[in-house]
Amino acid sequence: MFEWLSTHSDALQVMLSGLTALVWIIYLQVFLISFRRQRRPEIIISLGAGAGTKASWFVANLGLEPVFIVDVLVRLETEQGTTEAVVTDRTEMNDRELNNPGEATNQGPLASGNFMSIGTLDILLHRSASQPIPVSDLKTVTIVVVAATAARWSLVGASRQYRVSFDEEGAPTILATKIDTDQIRSRAGRRALLQKLESRLG
């Protein structure tokens, strides 16, 4: 046995060196994946604190890095078609005397673990157009949040779609079409967000 080991010591040493290198490569790969996952933004959109058109939409940052909310958009689908509007500015606050100008917008930083309310359906419809779409005309409502992070040079985002249905008395019920929020991280998705913002610059 010892004679065999002595004879093949060079080959065994090469194999052990290769095995050690492989272990370190795998360890480094796991570390990099974990590091990227920790720094990956995770924006959650939810609906609660009420029922029907009085329920509020919330945006939460579950990533480990703070994000800056750049824009909030709402996509409204009716029998006549689909319209999209920016609802970042809290226009319902225009007639109030504010101590902090930041209260007039949903734009701003959102720390890790924090959340903000972006408004109810009634409020978002009011912000979306000079002549708001009647709730009774709605089929779906999609909330799109555009954000920037210090960890990335480009924009990121999230979206969630809700279905609007009505009971026999015409009272609306708003339910999400999926259990989770869609994260917009792909290159194509981020490019689309950038194009939306650039289109507003003219």
Side-chain angles (χ1 to χ4, degrees), residues 9-86:
S9 60
D10 292 341
L12 288 173
Q13 187 172 358
V14 171
M15 291 176 60
L16 288 174
S17 298
L19 183 60
T20 302
L22 180 61
V23 170
W24 276 106
I25 290 172
I26 294 174
Y27 175 79
L28 180 61
Q29 183 77 6
V30 171
F31 175 80
L32 289 175
I33 292 173
S34 177
F35 180 75
R36 291 182 61 185
R37 184 175 297 156
Q38 287 179 358
R39 301 197 65 181
R40 186 173 60 185
E42 190 76 22
I43 299 170
I44 304 299
I45 301 169
S46 61
L47 182 67
T53 60
K54 303 303 180 185
S56 294
W57 267 285
F58 295 92
V59 175
N61 175 22
L62 294 190
L64 295 183
E65 300 281 343
V67 298
F68 186 92
I69 304 300
V70 178
D71 254 336
V72 180
L73 301 94
V74 62
R75 190 177 301 127
L76 306 170
E77 181 189 2
T78 67
E79 293 289 351
Q80 290 72 42
T82 302
T83 61
E84 189 173 84
V86 177

XYZ file of all heavy atoms in Angstrom, residues 9-86:
606
model
N 2.514 9.127 -5.954
C 2.372 10.328 -5.129
C 2.177 11.592 -5.970
O 1.386 12.468 -5.623
C 3.591 10.485 -4.218
O 4.777 10.596 -4.998
N 2.907 11.658 -7.093
C 2.779 12.855 -7.942
C 1.368 12.976 -8.509
O 0.764 14.062 -8.501
C 3.796 12.803 -9.077
C 5.224 12.954 -8.565
O 5.387 13.450 -7.425
O 6.156 12.570 -9.295
N 0.836 11.846 -8.993
C -0.515 11.864 -9.561
C -1.557 12.182 -8.489
O -2.512 12.933 -8.727
C -0.821 10.513 -10.215
N -1.374 11.607 -7.291
C -2.318 11.874 -6.197
C -2.274 13.337 -5.783
O -3.312 13.941 -5.471
C -1.980 10.979 -5.001
C -2.313 9.495 -5.160
C -1.773 8.700 -3.975
C -3.817 9.290 -5.297
N -1.075 13.912 -5.796
C -0.948 15.314 -5.409
C -1.669 16.223 -6.411
O -2.323 17.190 -6.032
C 0.528 15.696 -5.322
C 0.756 17.098 -4.754
C 2.218 17.376 -4.508
O 3.064 16.516 -4.729
N 2.516 18.577 -4.042
N -1.545 15.872 -7.706
C -2.238 16.645 -8.736
C -3.756 16.520 -8.560
O -4.502 17.503 -8.663
C -1.813 16.171 -10.135
C -2.693 16.822 -11.206
C -0.350 16.499 -10.383
N -4.235 15.314 -8.278
C -5.664 15.091 -8.085
C -6.183 15.854 -6.876
O -7.249 16.478 -6.926
C -5.945 13.598 -7.922
C -5.742 12.771 -9.181
S -5.976 11.001 -8.906
C -7.675 10.966 -8.335
N -5.419 15.822 -5.759
C -5.830 16.533 -4.558
C -5.846 18.040 -4.785
O -6.746 18.748 -4.312
C -4.912 16.180 -3.386
C -5.068 14.777 -2.807
C -3.998 14.502 -1.757
C -6.465 14.604 -2.200
N -4.863 18.536 -5.531
C -4.825 19.974 -5.842
C -6.032 20.372 -6.690
O -6.658 21.409 -6.468
C -3.531 20.316 -6.580
O -2.401 20.049 -5.770
N -6.346 19.521 -7.680
C -7.513 19.791 -8.520
C -8.799 19.751 -7.732
O -9.693 20.583 -7.924
N -8.917 18.775 -6.809
C -10.122 18.661 -5.979
C -10.263 19.871 -5.067
O -11.363 20.407 -4.897
C -10.056 17.379 -5.155
C -11.281 17.070 -4.274
C -12.527 16.937 -5.131
C -11.039 15.797 -3.470
N -9.151 20.320 -4.493
C -9.179 21.508 -3.633
C -9.618 22.743 -4.413
O -10.425 23.551 -3.950
C -7.791 21.747 -3.015
O -7.401 20.601 -2.265
C -7.801 22.969 -2.103
N -9.068 22.874 -5.627
C -9.443 24.019 -6.471
C -10.927 23.976 -6.819
O -11.615 25.006 -6.821
C -8.591 24.025 -7.743
N -11.447 22.768 -7.098
C -12.865 22.621 -7.429
C -13.747 23.019 -6.251
O -14.766 23.699 -6.421
C -13.139 21.170 -7.844
C -14.588 20.838 -8.227
C -15.027 21.671 -9.434
C -14.732 19.349 -8.531
N -13.349 22.596 -5.053
C -14.124 22.950 -3.849
C -14.155 24.465 -3.665
O -15.203 25.047 -3.366
C -13.522 22.261 -2.605
C -14.151 22.817 -1.331
C -13.741 20.764 -2.676
N -13.014 25.123 -3.870
C -12.973 26.571 -3.711
C -13.799 27.276 -4.784
O -14.432 28.310 -4.512
C -11.524 27.055 -3.766
C -10.828 26.957 -2.436
C -9.886 26.058 -2.055
C -11.065 27.782 -1.287
N -9.507 26.255 -0.750
C -10.226 27.320 -0.244
C -11.908 28.859 -1.024
C -10.196 27.908 1.008
C -11.879 29.455 0.231
C -11.040 28.980 1.234
N -13.774 26.755 -5.994
C -14.587 27.351 -7.071
C -16.072 27.243 -6.728
O -16.842 28.207 -6.894
C -14.280 26.667 -8.419
C -12.869 27.044 -8.878
C -15.306 27.066 -9.471
C -12.404 26.269 -10.101
N -16.504 26.073 -6.249
C -17.907 25.895 -5.870
C -18.269 26.822 -4.717
O -19.330 27.455 -4.712
C -18.170 24.420 -5.489
C -17.995 23.519 -6.722
C -19.561 24.249 -4.897
C -18.091 22.034 -6.419
N -17.386 26.929 -3.733
C -17.629 27.803 -2.583
C -17.753 29.256 -3.035
O -18.648 29.987 -2.582
C -16.487 27.658 -1.575
C -16.583 28.603 -0.399
C -17.435 28.340 0.668
C -15.824 29.777 -0.370
C -17.531 29.213 1.736
C -15.907 30.652 0.696
C -16.763 30.371 1.748
O -16.857 31.240 2.794
N -16.861 29.686 -3.942
C -16.903 31.055 -4.438
C -18.196 31.315 -5.212
O -18.803 32.383 -5.086
C -15.687 31.323 -5.331
C -15.584 32.730 -5.932
C -15.490 33.783 -4.839
C -14.378 32.818 -6.867
N -18.623 30.320 -5.998
C -19.858 30.460 -6.761
C -21.058 30.624 -5.837
O -21.912 31.484 -6.054
C -20.047 29.227 -7.659
C -21.271 29.286 -8.559
C -21.054 30.191 -9.759
O -19.956 30.685 -9.975
N -22.104 30.430 -10.499
N -21.121 29.800 -4.786
C -22.217 29.900 -3.811
C -22.187 31.254 -3.119
O -23.232 31.884 -2.906
C -22.120 28.746 -2.786
C -23.108 28.962 -1.637
C -22.371 27.408 -3.458
N -20.989 31.723 -2.771
C -20.845 33.015 -2.104
C -21.328 34.152 -3.000
O -22.054 35.057 -2.551
C -19.386 33.238 -1.709
C -19.115 34.594 -1.133
C -19.419 34.875 0.191
C -18.561 35.595 -1.923
C -19.182 36.131 0.721
C -18.319 36.855 -1.401
C -18.626 37.124 -0.074
N -20.948 34.116 -4.286
C -21.345 35.178 -5.212
C -22.857 35.181 -5.428
O -23.483 36.246 -5.483
C -20.612 35.011 -6.546
C -19.115 35.321 -6.523
C -18.487 35.008 -7.881
C -18.871 36.781 -6.158
N -23.452 33.979 -5.571
C -24.903 33.895 -5.751
C -25.623 34.461 -4.528
O -26.589 35.218 -4.651
C -25.328 32.432 -6.012
C -24.820 31.963 -7.378
C -26.848 32.289 -5.936
C -25.045 30.494 -7.649
N -25.136 34.102 -3.337
C -25.734 34.599 -2.098
C -25.575 36.112 -1.983
O -26.517 36.816 -1.585
C -25.086 33.901 -0.903
O -25.598 34.413 0.313
N -24.404 36.623 -2.364
C -24.148 38.061 -2.286
C -25.057 38.829 -3.235
O -25.645 39.855 -2.865
C -22.683 38.332 -2.614
C -22.313 39.789 -2.574
C -22.157 40.439 -1.371
C -22.116 40.490 -3.757
C -21.821 41.787 -1.327
C -21.779 41.828 -3.725
C -21.632 42.485 -2.516
N -25.206 38.331 -4.460
C -26.069 38.996 -5.436
C -27.525 38.949 -5.006
O -28.272 39.909 -5.194
C -25.904 38.344 -6.812
C -24.545 38.581 -7.457
C -24.464 37.956 -8.821
N -25.469 38.518 -9.722
C -25.670 38.066 -10.966
N -24.953 37.060 -11.422
N -26.581 38.619 -11.728
N -27.941 37.831 -4.418
C -29.319 37.698 -3.956
C -29.611 38.677 -2.826
O -30.687 39.262 -2.747
C -29.574 36.259 -3.501
C -31.013 35.978 -3.086
C -31.189 34.514 -2.772
N -30.947 33.690 -3.939
C -30.574 32.416 -3.890
N -30.383 31.834 -2.716
N -30.392 31.735 -5.001
N -28.627 38.876 -1.933
C -28.814 39.800 -0.823
C -28.956 41.235 -1.306
O -29.716 42.013 -0.727
C -27.641 39.696 0.154
C -27.637 38.423 0.982
C -26.445 38.369 1.915
O -25.607 39.255 1.918
N -26.371 37.306 2.700
N -28.243 41.587 -2.357
C -28.280 42.960 -2.857
C -29.370 43.167 -3.904
O -29.562 44.287 -4.375
C -26.918 43.345 -3.442
C -25.779 43.239 -2.448
C -24.573 43.990 -2.899
N -24.806 45.429 -2.957
C -23.880 46.311 -3.341
N -22.688 45.893 -3.709
N -24.149 47.590 -3.372
N -30.077 42.103 -4.254
C -31.127 42.202 -5.264
C -32.348 42.906 -4.684
O -32.825 42.535 -3.614
C -31.496 40.801 -5.755
C -32.475 40.783 -6.911
C -32.640 39.377 -7.425
N -33.145 38.477 -6.398
C -33.289 37.177 -6.552
N -32.916 36.611 -7.686
N -33.768 36.437 -5.591
N -32.874 43.913 -5.355
C -34.056 44.608 -4.844
C -35.290 43.702 -4.858
O -35.440 42.856 -5.742
C -34.216 45.784 -5.807
C -33.509 45.358 -7.052
C -32.382 44.478 -6.614
N -36.139 43.869 -3.881
C -37.374 43.087 -3.781
C -38.484 44.041 -3.351
O -38.590 44.415 -2.180
C -37.214 41.955 -2.764
C -38.339 40.953 -2.757
C -38.289 39.988 -3.946
O -37.189 39.820 -4.519
O -39.328 39.410 -4.285
N -39.299 44.468 -4.307
C -40.379 45.424 -4.048
C -41.708 44.665 -4.044
O -42.007 43.928 -4.985
C -40.394 46.527 -5.120
C -39.064 47.290 -5.093
C -41.561 47.480 -4.909
C -38.881 48.233 -6.260
N -42.474 44.849 -2.990
C -43.751 44.152 -2.838
C -44.902 45.155 -2.932
O -44.853 46.221 -2.307
C -43.821 43.403 -1.488
C -42.641 42.436 -1.353
C -45.149 42.664 -1.354
C -42.582 41.360 -2.404
N -45.913 44.809 -3.706
C -47.127 45.625 -3.830
C -48.279 44.836 -3.227
O -48.483 43.669 -3.570
C -47.418 45.954 -5.307
C -46.239 46.716 -5.924
C -48.712 46.761 -5.438
C -46.329 46.857 -7.435
N -49.011 45.459 -2.319
C -50.123 44.767 -1.667
C -51.307 45.705 -1.509
O -51.175 46.932 -1.625
C -49.694 44.221 -0.296
O -49.303 45.280 0.553
N -52.463 45.124 -1.228
C -53.709 45.883 -1.077
C -54.352 45.489 0.240
O -54.494 44.307 0.548
C -54.655 45.581 -2.246
C -55.994 46.317 -2.271
C -55.776 47.813 -2.500
C -56.891 45.745 -3.381
N -54.742 46.473 1.037
C -55.348 46.152 2.331
C -55.840 47.387 3.045
O -55.997 48.457 2.450
N -56.077 47.244 4.362
C -56.540 48.352 5.212
C -57.851 48.936 4.709
O -58.052 50.153 4.688
C -55.473 49.435 5.321
N -58.750 48.069 4.268
C -60.038 48.525 3.780
C -60.606 47.528 2.794
O -60.017 46.476 2.535
N -61.743 47.872 2.229
C -62.403 46.989 1.259
C -62.858 47.795 0.055
O -63.131 48.994 0.149
C -63.588 46.285 1.906
N -62.928 47.111 -1.100
C -63.406 47.775 -2.307
C -62.533 48.947 -2.697
O -61.301 48.897 -2.614
N -63.169 50.046 -3.100
C -62.432 51.220 -3.553
C -61.771 51.978 -2.407
O -61.003 52.914 -2.644
C -63.368 52.177 -4.316
O -64.429 52.594 -3.437
C -63.964 51.493 -5.536
N -62.072 51.603 -1.165
C -61.479 52.281 -0.010
C -60.220 51.575 0.498
O -59.557 52.074 1.414
C -62.498 52.382 1.128
C -63.783 53.091 0.738
C -63.513 54.501 0.210
C -64.813 55.194 -0.179
N -64.556 56.531 -0.800
N -59.889 50.409 -0.061
C -58.664 49.708 0.328
C -57.457 50.459 -0.213
O -57.511 51.076 -1.283
C -58.675 48.279 -0.200
N -56.368 50.434 0.534
C -55.159 51.165 0.145
C -54.114 50.230 -0.453
O -53.952 49.099 0.012
C -54.556 51.878 1.358
O -55.412 52.898 1.825
N -53.408 50.738 -1.454
C -52.270 50.006 -2.002
C -51.018 50.405 -1.239
O -50.812 51.585 -0.939
C -52.086 50.306 -3.482
C -52.787 49.322 -4.358
C -52.398 48.037 -4.617
C -53.997 49.530 -5.100
N -53.300 47.430 -5.468
C -54.291 48.321 -5.783
C -54.867 50.605 -5.256
C -55.398 48.172 -6.605
C -55.969 50.459 -6.061
C -56.228 49.257 -6.729
N -50.197 49.409 -0.926
C -48.953 49.641 -0.208
C -47.778 49.143 -1.043
O -47.880 48.129 -1.740
C -48.959 48.921 1.141
C -50.001 49.432 2.103
C -51.258 48.860 2.153
C -49.712 50.503 2.941
C -52.226 49.337 3.029
C -50.674 50.984 3.828
C -51.930 50.402 3.869
N -46.672 49.852 -0.939
C -45.418 49.439 -1.575
C -44.398 49.219 -0.463
O -44.162 50.121 0.349
C -44.907 50.510 -2.561
C -43.540 50.114 -3.115
C -45.901 50.707 -3.687
N -43.823 48.025 -0.406
C -42.846 47.680 0.639
C -41.511 47.315 -0.003
O -41.469 46.754 -1.102
C -43.356 46.515 1.480
N -40.443 47.636 0.697
C -39.093 47.290 0.243
C -38.562 46.166 1.118
O -38.180 46.391 2.270
C -38.177 48.520 0.336
C -36.734 48.191 -0.005
O -36.454 47.202 -0.679
N -35.811 49.014 0.463
N -38.532 44.947 0.577
C -38.022 43.804 1.325
C -36.576 43.462 0.973
O -36.040 42.468 1.463
C -38.913 42.575 1.086
C -40.339 42.664 1.632
C -41.019 41.310 1.535
C -40.365 43.166 3.063
N -35.965 44.280 0.125
C -34.551 44.089 -0.179
C -33.688 44.605 0.971
O -34.148 45.356 1.832
N -32.429 44.203 0.981
C -31.517 44.642 2.034
C -30.950 46.028 1.771
O -30.327 46.623 2.656
C -30.372 43.634 2.187
C -30.778 42.238 2.674
C -29.550 41.358 2.849
C -31.555 42.324 3.986
N -31.148 46.555 0.558
C -30.674 47.884 0.217
C -31.854 48.841 0.129
O -32.948 48.452 -0.263
C -29.950 47.857 -1.137
C -28.733 46.951 -1.196
C -27.519 47.601 -0.554
O -27.533 48.834 -0.366
O -26.562 46.866 -0.231
N -31.672 50.110 0.512
C -32.749 51.089 0.321
C -32.996 51.314 -1.171
O -32.102 51.116 -1.996
C -32.206 52.356 0.994
C -30.725 52.186 0.981
C -30.469 50.716 1.113
N -34.204 51.721 -1.512
C -34.533 52.065 -2.894
C -35.116 53.471 -2.915
O -35.578 53.983 -1.895
C -35.545 51.071 -3.522
C -34.974 49.678 -3.561
C -36.876 51.102 -2.781
N -35.074 54.075 -4.085
C -35.685 55.388 -4.275
C -36.841 55.216 -5.246
O -36.638 54.796 -6.393
C -34.674 56.388 -4.829
C -35.199 57.796 -4.915
C -35.015 58.677 -3.863
C -35.893 58.230 -6.034
C -35.519 59.978 -3.930
C -36.393 59.521 -6.114
C -36.198 60.401 -5.055
N -38.047 55.498 -4.781
C -39.226 55.389 -5.651
C -39.205 56.551 -6.638
O -39.323 57.715 -6.251
C -40.527 55.399 -4.833
C -40.517 54.284 -3.781
C -41.733 55.256 -5.759
C -40.380 52.890 -4.330
N -39.036 56.227 -7.905
C -38.944 57.236 -8.953
C -40.320 57.592 -9.489
O -40.659 58.768 -9.673
C -38.044 56.739 -10.102
C -37.988 57.767 -11.230
C -36.648 56.440 -9.585
N -41.142 56.581 -9.746
C -42.474 56.806 -10.300
C -43.404 55.677 -9.906
O -42.958 54.545 -9.657
C -42.434 56.910 -11.823
C -42.626 58.339 -12.315
O -43.221 59.145 -11.576
O -42.178 58.653 -13.435
N -44.689 56.003 -9.870
C -45.742 55.012 -9.685
C -46.729 55.183 -10.829
O -47.203 56.305 -11.079
C -46.470 55.174 -8.332
C -47.555 54.118 -8.177
C -45.485 55.095 -7.166
N -46.998 54.095 -11.537
C -47.925 54.153 -12.669
C -49.094 53.224 -12.414
O -48.961 52.214 -11.709
C -47.230 53.747 -13.973
C -46.006 54.569 -14.403
C -44.728 53.908 -13.900
C -45.954 54.709 -15.906
N -50.233 53.559 -12.999
C -51.395 52.693 -12.919
C -51.887 52.422 -14.338
O -51.956 53.320 -15.175
C -52.514 53.327 -12.050
C -53.002 54.642 -12.647
C -53.679 52.363 -11.884
N -52.136 51.138 -14.626
C -52.641 50.718 -15.934
C -54.074 50.254 -15.741
O -54.348 49.327 -14.964
C -51.769 49.605 -16.498
C -52.054 49.251 -17.961
C -51.094 48.180 -18.449
N -49.708 48.603 -18.351
C -48.756 47.918 -17.735
N -49.033 46.758 -17.153
N -47.521 48.367 -17.693
N -55.004 50.915 -16.426
C -56.428 50.660 -16.252
C -56.994 50.008 -17.504
O -56.905 50.573 -18.604
C -57.171 51.966 -15.960
C -56.626 52.784 -14.775
C -57.274 54.162 -14.748
C -56.860 52.050 -13.474
N -57.575 48.827 -17.342
C -58.185 48.117 -18.467
C -59.697 48.192 -18.359
O -60.283 47.869 -17.316
C -57.749 46.657 -18.489
C -58.345 45.867 -19.662
C -58.078 44.381 -19.558
O -57.470 43.946 -18.564
O -58.525 43.645 -20.468
N -60.344 48.633 -19.435
C -61.805 48.694 -19.525
C -62.245 48.016 -20.820
O -61.420 47.554 -21.603
C -62.296 50.156 -19.524
O -61.872 50.791 -20.736
C -61.733 50.930 -18.331
N -63.533 47.984 -21.048
C -64.053 47.427 -22.302
C -63.594 48.252 -23.498
O -63.489 47.744 -24.614
C -65.587 47.389 -22.254
C -66.172 46.424 -21.234
C -65.979 44.968 -21.629
O -65.548 44.704 -22.778
O -66.238 44.090 -20.786
N -63.311 49.533 -23.272
C -62.906 50.426 -24.359
C -61.416 50.338 -24.675
O -60.955 50.850 -25.690
C -63.263 51.879 -24.005
C -64.758 52.195 -24.012
C -65.486 51.565 -22.833
O -64.981 51.572 -21.712
N -66.676 51.029 -23.088
N -60.639 49.720 -23.803
C -59.205 49.624 -24.038
C -58.430 49.795 -22.746
O -58.980 49.728 -21.647
N -57.117 50.043 -22.889
C -56.227 50.167 -21.740
C -55.546 51.523 -21.763
O -55.065 51.976 -22.803
C -55.153 49.065 -21.756
O -55.794 47.783 -21.753
C -54.252 49.164 -20.539
N -55.522 52.171 -20.612
C -54.825 53.446 -20.475
C -53.820 53.333 -19.335
O -54.009 52.552 -18.401
C -55.797 54.599 -20.182
O -56.484 54.333 -18.942
C -56.809 54.758 -21.293
N -52.758 54.122 -19.419
C -51.722 54.120 -18.386
C -51.435 55.550 -17.983
O -51.343 56.438 -18.830
C -50.449 53.443 -18.906
C -49.402 53.214 -17.831
C -48.231 52.395 -18.330
O -47.313 52.988 -18.927
O -48.239 51.159 -18.144
N -51.314 55.773 -16.693
C -51.088 57.129 -16.197
C -50.107 57.098 -15.032
O -50.014 56.115 -14.305
C -52.406 57.760 -15.759
N -49.389 58.204 -14.862
C -48.479 58.366 -13.735
C -49.272 58.910 -12.553
O -50.002 59.894 -12.675
C -47.333 59.331 -14.087
C -46.429 59.564 -12.886
C -46.533 58.788 -15.259
